[in-house]
């Protein structure tokens, strides 16, 4: 299949060559002073672009993509288009939506924006150390609170230790009231309204809330039982009674199948059922899952930590929205209310790295709702995505009336973006003197980090391509930056929708395109294949 851009480049090159051919031999310049060398360089440039178009068309026109829909756009730093295919059509972007979320967050909130979470006491402290009142955790939407990203060795324990110490420093030994989680800086909705219902129990689709601890998720390790036929051992992290485990797993003979995992269950609740098998010689299976009601979860974890350290709590862990009467508890001006400790998050510049490198859905949705809270006065998905759409229009993106954003993470299949718009966001950030490097460094690096760790390990691409991956069912996206052989940083976006081959094959095609771009030159001889030019993996 021949595409217009290929034909135009071929015709232009042919016409220029014909014009040069009729000039008198030995003539050093044309009548208007343009040198023959300049014309030769133009021909070489057109030949390079024609070859680029042919190489990319060959990949995209492979018969295995006959039923798929590709959108591709490649630009020079100036915005000049080197190649495009359907770049003004709308595509489901999957996690490439995070590029819009993180770029807007940097621009609208600033790279130094931080969240602050307060722990307040409400009531009076008796001489015997009894708090006659409640302890309230007031959230601000912080996704990093007690999180295990970016450091999987951490979690809520160090944070809870600090909070408990602040309570003890007040002389409190007993709390008569409740431990209350207050996440009302966000609206009550917990999940994105257009998410696949099947995804909701799993950690990558955990709900977002104004107060969230442990990423509103839990981790679990599955190890073989003491004997074949026994249930596997399930160990929670954090160790909490908030989650009830139903263990239907079985330990099987060495060498057997190890597929033990969480089984699907209703989303509103925290009873988690595990089934499947684990081989007796299998060391460990690591899994993760989502929890219901983030504000209550945070309160529960603090209550448990207080009691483990000897502070008695006579009340319960509750979500403030579930209390029947908030008048007294909710009076922030009361002389009986005091903040005993404030926890400040890392800056937004670090938070967007967690969003983009491991493609963290929960962090992204917390951030887009934060944008809504700050810019639209409402911490909802709707307000956040509306603010991002306004920002996209403000930076001069094209066809913003076609832009559809329903969440910050890209889980929503109804999200729609143009590859052209993705490139416009990438270009906007690249040319921002204050944010460009921060944004660029938040993206995964080919061959080294996160979703690109095991991809593009050629000398030309490893450590060179900085790009955001994206995946939901039948959607694979990759957009970012790559430096070509002329040391020019190109901007690219490629999104494949509706494919039915393996995702691994789509990855390979995207990787091959990145390799072609990394080796692209308008100055060098491009004859010969990649291997002949020494671009083979170590």
């Amino acid at each position: 299949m021949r595409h217009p851009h290929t034909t135009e480049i071929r015709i232009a090159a042919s016409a220029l060559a014909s014009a040069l051919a009729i000039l008198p031999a030995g003539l050093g310049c044309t009548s208007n002073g343009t040198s023959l060398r300049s014309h030769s360089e133009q021909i070489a440039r057109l030949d390079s672009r024609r070859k680029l178009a042919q190489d990319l068309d060959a990949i995209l026109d492979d018969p295995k993509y006959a039923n798929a829909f590709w959108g591709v756009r490649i630009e020079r730093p100036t915005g000049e288009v080197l190649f495009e295919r359907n770049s003004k059509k709308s595509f489901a972007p999957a996690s490439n939506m995070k590029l819009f979320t993180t770029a807007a967050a940097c621009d609208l909130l600033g790279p130094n924006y931080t969240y602050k979470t307060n722990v307040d006491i409400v009531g009076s402290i008796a001489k015997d150390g009894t708090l006659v009142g409640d302890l309230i955790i007031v959230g601000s939407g912080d996704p990093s609170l007690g999180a295990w990203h970016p450091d999987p060795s951490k979690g809520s324990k160090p944070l809870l230790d600090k909070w408990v110490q602040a309570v003890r420093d007040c002389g409190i030994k007993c709390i008569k009231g409740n431990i209350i989680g207050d996440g009302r800086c966000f609206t009550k909705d917990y999940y994105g309204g257009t998410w696949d219902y099947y995804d909701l129990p799993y950690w990558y689709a955990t709900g977002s809330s104004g107060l969230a601890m442990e990423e509103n998720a839990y981790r679990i390790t599955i190890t073989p039982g003491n004997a074949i036929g026994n249930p596997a051992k399930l160990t929670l992290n954090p160790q909490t009674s908030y989650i009830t485990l139903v263990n239907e797993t079985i330990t099987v003979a060495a060498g057997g199948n190890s597929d033990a995992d969480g089984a699907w269950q209703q989303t509103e609740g925290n009873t988690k059922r595990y089934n499947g098998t684990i081989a007796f010689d299998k060391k460990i299976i690591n899994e993760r899952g989502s929890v219901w009601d983030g504000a209550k979860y945070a309160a529960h974890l603090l209550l448990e930590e207080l009691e483990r350290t000897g502070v008695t709590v006579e009340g319960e862990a509750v979500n403030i929205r579930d209390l029947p009467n908030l008048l007294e508890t909710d009076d922030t001006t009361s002389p009986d209310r005091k903040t005993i400790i404030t926890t400040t998050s890392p800056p937004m510049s670090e938070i967007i790295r967690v969003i983009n490198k491991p493609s963290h859905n929960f962090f992204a949705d917390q951030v887009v709702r934060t944008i809504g809270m700050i810019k639209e006065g409402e911490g909802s998905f709707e307000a956040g995505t509306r603010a991002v759409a306004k920002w996209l229009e403000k930076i001069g993106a094209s066809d913003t009336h076609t832009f559809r954003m329903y969440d910050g993470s890209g889980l929503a299949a109804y999200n729609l973006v143009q590859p052209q718009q993705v490139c416009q966001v990438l270009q906007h950030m690249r040319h921002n003197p204050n944010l460009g490097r921060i944004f660029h460094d938040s993206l995964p690096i080919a061959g080294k980090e996160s979703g690109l760790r095991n991809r593009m390990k050629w000398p030309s691409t490893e450590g060179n391509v900085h790009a955001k991956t994206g995946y939901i069912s039948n959607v694979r996206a990759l957009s970012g930056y790559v430096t070509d052989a002329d040391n020019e940083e190109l901007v690219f976006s490629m999104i494949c929708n509706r494919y039915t081959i393996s995702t691994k094959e789509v990855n390979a095609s995207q990787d091959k395109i990145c390799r072609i771009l990394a080796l692209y030159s308008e100055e060098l001889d491009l004859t010969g294949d990649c291997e002949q030019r020494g671009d083979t993996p170590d």
Side-chain angles (χ1 to χ4, degrees):
M1 177 178 176
R2 182 174 292 175
H3 294 277
H5 50 253
T6 306
T7 304
E8 289 169 4
I9 291 173
R10 186 181 296 110
I11 292 173
S14 176
L16 186 54
S18 298
L20 287 172
I22 64 174
L23 291 173
L27 187 62
C29 62
T30 62
S31 58
N32 65 2
T34 304
S35 67
L36 285 176
R37 178 177 177 82
S38 175
H39 285 301
S40 298
E41 289 172 348
Q42 290 181 48
I43 290 177
R45 184 177 300 112
L46 288 169
D47 281 344
S48 295
R49 296 190 181 187
R50 175 180 57 80
K51 177 67 161 55
L52 175 66
Q54 289 176 340
D55 289 345
L56 300 193
D57 284 340
I59 295 170
L60 303 177
D61 292 335
D62 190 298
K64 65 188 178 184
Y65 295 120
N67 65 321
F69 188 40
W70 273 101
V72 179
R73 190 176 181 94
I74 299 158
E75 298 179 358
R76 300 180 68 185
T78 60
E80 179 185 2
V81 179
L82 290 177
F83 179 90
E84 75 89 30
R85 168 82 68 94
N86 297 322
S87 70
K88 297 181 181 180
K89 300 290 186 182
S90 295
F91 290 80
S95 283
N96 267 203
M97 186 55 81
K98 294 182 176 73
L99 293 170
F100 294 84
T101 301
T102 53
C106 278
D107 224 352
L108 295 175
L109 304 180
N112 297 319
Y113 178 88
T114 56
Y115 296 87
K116 295 187 184 302
T117 304
N118 291 333
V119 178
D120 294 355
I121 56 173
V122 181
S124 59
I125 304 173
K127 291 183 179 180
D128 64 355
T130 299
L131 171 62
V132 184
D134 302 309
L135 197 67
I136 305 178
I137 315 168
V138 184
S140 60
D142 184 1
S144 70
L145 202 65
W148 28 281
H149 282 86
D151 185 352
S153 69
K154 293 184 178 178
S156 59
K157 185 65 167 63
L159 175 65
L160 292 171
D161 286 345
K162 291 180 181 178
W163 288 0
V164 168
Q165 188 58 51
V167 172
R168 297 177 68 89
D169 287 346
C170 293
I172 297 172
K173 300 177 182 178
C174 174
I175 299 172
K176 284 285 188 180
N178 296 317
I179 310 299
I180 301 171
D182 186 354
R184 289 174 299 165
C185 60
F186 286 179
T187 52
K188 191 175 182 178
D189 46 315
Y190 198 53
Y191 297 119
T194 62
W195 291 0
D196 188 329
Y197 186 64
Y198 176 80
D199 289 335
L200 301 186
Y202 303 104
W203 86 276
Y204 60 83
T206 196
S208 57
S209 53
L211 174 62
M213 184 81 74
E214 289 271 351
E215 304 174 16
N216 278 348
Y218 65 93
R219 291 170 282 175
I220 189 168
T221 58
I222 307 172
T223 53
N226 294 329
I228 295 170
N230 286 357
K233 298 175 183 176
L234 307 181
T235 305
L236 274 174
N237 184 6
Q239 296 181 9
T240 174
S241 62
Y242 192 73
I243 295 166
T244 300
L245 294 176
V246 177
N247 190 350
E248 299 174 352
T249 61
I250 298 175
T251 304
V252 297
N257 192 33
S258 293
D259 61 0
D261 197 356
W264 197 92
Q265 75 276 330
Q266 294 297 317
T267 57
E268 296 187 16
N270 293 297
T271 297
K272 310 296 181 181
R273 186 164 61 91
Y274 279 77
N275 58 19
T277 61
I278 184 168
F280 193 66
D281 58 344
K282 178 79 172 179
K283 291 184 178 179
I284 194 170
I285 298 174
N286 292 300
E287 295 293 347
R288 297 164 288 186
S290 67
V291 301
W292 174 251
D293 193 344
K296 186 175 180 180
Y297 184 39
H300 191 95
L301 292 177
L302 178 55
L303 184 151
E304 288 179 322
E305 197 61 31
L306 285 164
E307 293 191 329
R308 268 195 287 266
T309 60
V311 178
T312 304
V313 181
E314 295 186 7
E316 300 177 346
V318 296
N319 185 326
I320 198 168
R321 286 189 167 102
D322 296 332
L323 292 175
N325 189 342
L326 288 177
L327 291 179
E328 183 177 345
T329 302
D330 211 29
D331 184 3
T332 57
T333 64
S334 169
D336 289 335
R337 181 162 182 155
K338 175 186 176 183
T339 297
I340 60 171
I341 188 170
T342 297
T343 298
T344 302
S345 75
M348 186 60 66
S349 59
E350 294 184 27
I351 287 173
I352 68 165
R353 291 171 66 90
V354 178
I355 294 174
N356 285 333
K357 287 185 183 292
S359 200
H360 205 301
N361 293 335
F362 166 75
F363 269 66
D365 289 321
Q366 292 286 113
V367 166
V368 82
R369 295 181 71 170
T370 303
I371 294 172
M373 177 180 70
I374 299 299
K375 293 299 178 180
E376 298 285 317
E378 181 181 273
S380 65
F381 284 102
E382 291 80 4
T385 56
R386 184 168 63 246
V388 174
K390 289 179 180 178
W391 169 82
L392 189 64
E393 185 174 4
K394 181 181 177 181
I395 69 172
S398 304
D399 302 333
T400 53
H401 64 283
T402 69
F403 179 71
R404 297 291 183 272
M405 185 180 190
Y406 291 89
D407 62 11
S409 59
L411 270 177
Y414 293 170
N415 289 329
L416 290 174
V417 307
Q418 298 176 355
Q420 172 184 240
Q421 293 167 341
V422 178
C423 286
Q424 288 168 332
V425 168
L426 292 168
Q427 291 279 22
H428 173 76
M429 298 305 289
R430 183 186 185 280
H431 292 289
N432 188 307
N434 299 316
L435 303 177
R437 178 50 55 186
I438 291 170
F439 183 77
H440 186 281
D441 290 349
S442 76
L443 302 176
I445 302 173
K448 297 181 181 294
E449 292 181 331
S450 301
L452 294 179
R453 180 174 290 112
N454 297 316
R455 295 173 58 179
M456 291 186 275
K457 290 196 172 184
W458 299 290
S460 63
T461 52
E462 185 170 17
N464 176 11
V465 179
H466 291 69
K468 181 74 200 75
T469 56
Y471 171 76
I472 55 176
S473 296
N474 311 114
V475 174
R476 194 57 162 150
L478 186 69
S479 302
Y481 308 97
V482 56
T483 300
D484 67 13
D486 296 333
N487 202 34
E488 185 170 67
E489 189 173 64
L490 306 179
V491 171
F492 69 89
S493 177
M494 42 184 152
I495 307 174
C496 187
N497 281 190
R498 302 201 299 264
Y499 65 87
T500 52
I501 59 174
S502 70
T503 299
K504 183 177 180 180
E505 291 178 87
V506 183
N507 289 349
S509 295
Q510 291 177 340
D511 292 355
K512 188 174 181 181
I513 290 174
C514 286
R515 187 187 193 192
I516 290 170
L517 297 179
L519 294 168
Y520 178 73
S521 173
E522 295 185 355
E523 299 176 3
L524 302 174
D525 179 10
L526 292 182
T527 58
D529 59 24
C530 298
E531 284 70 24
Q532 289 174 330
R533 295 197 296 276
D535 191 51
T536 55
D538 295 334

